[in-house]
Amino acid sequence: VRLVESGGGPVHAGGSLRLTCTPRGFTWEDYNIGWFRQAPGKEREPVLCVSDYDGVHYYEESVRGRFSLSKDNNKMTAVLQMNNLRADDTGTYYCAAAWEAREGLPALSAYDIWGQGTHVTVSS
């Protein structure tokens, strides 16, 4: 049971990247999905999360209007579309799945299953 991320890489500031998360070994129709990132020397933080129950999204304020998250249960993907990237978006991006998210969507402790991460480097 795991998640697999893809789509990271180097990009210039102002550019776009599309990160994809796919489950392996389980079906995730009822799972809440979150994308988190960890910049060098910093703690892992939530970026954008979506509730499977009511579609409510949590956004880290700096990505609002630039990033979007879509979960497709038929295709078994969760895509993080990142536009107008900035240097401070650099980091390792992790996909995570939470069954109930009782601690709240942005809480790392709410998530049961994590991916291995994909690196994003934004150069200015």
Side-chain angles (χ1 to χ4, degrees), residues 9-70:
V11 63
H12 290 296
S16 298
L17 280 176
R18 180 183 173 95
L19 306 184
T20 300
C21 175
T22 305
R24 292 284 187 268
F26 72 106
T27 56
W28 70 356
E29 284 85 354
D30 298 324
Y31 279 79
N32 307 286
I33 300 298
W35 280 94
F36 297 77
R37 70 183 173 195
Q38 188 164 14
K42 295 188 176 180
E43 294 186 353
R44 194 172 301 187
E45 63 176 1
V47 175
L48 214 168
C49 310
V50 63
S51 166
D52 185 78
Y53 174 70
D54 56 12
V56 170
H57 283 69
Y58 164 86
Y59 289 86
E60 198 279 324
E61 201 55 40
S62 71
V63 309
R64 188 181 294 272
R66 300 188 297 123
F67 290 12
S68 63
L69 170 59
S70 61

Side-chain angles (χ1 to χ4, degrees), residues 2 4 13-14 21 23 28-29 37-38 40-41 45 49 64 70 72 80 82 93-94 104 110 114 116 120:
R2 61 192 176 105
V4 177
C21 175
W28 70 356
E29 284 85 354
R37 70 183 173 195
Q38 188 164 14
E45 63 176 1
C49 310
R64 188 181 294 272
S70 61
D72 188 324
L80 181 67
M82 306 188 295
Y93 283 71
Y94 299 88
W114 289 83
Q116 81 288 351
V120 172

Side-chain angles (χ1 to χ4, degrees), residues 54-119:
D54 56 12
V56 170
H57 283 69
Y58 164 86
Y59 289 86
E60 198 279 324
E61 201 55 40
S62 71
V63 309
R64 188 181 294 272
R66 300 188 297 123
F67 290 12
S68 63
L69 170 59
S70 61
K71 183 190 179 203
D72 188 324
N73 288 331
N74 291 325
K75 295 181 180 178
M76 297 289 276
T77 59
V79 174
L80 181 67
Q81 178 66 43
M82 306 188 295
N83 299 324
N84 194 19
L85 283 159
R86 311 183 318 205
D88 59 0
D89 293 319
T90 293
T92 301
Y93 283 71
Y94 299 88
C95 176
W99 178 247
E100 291 185 325
R102 289 186 176 183
E103 298 90 337
L105 283 176
L108 273 71
S109 59
Y111 292 81
D112 312 294
I113 305 169
W114 289 83
Q116 81 288 351
T118 184
H119 299 289

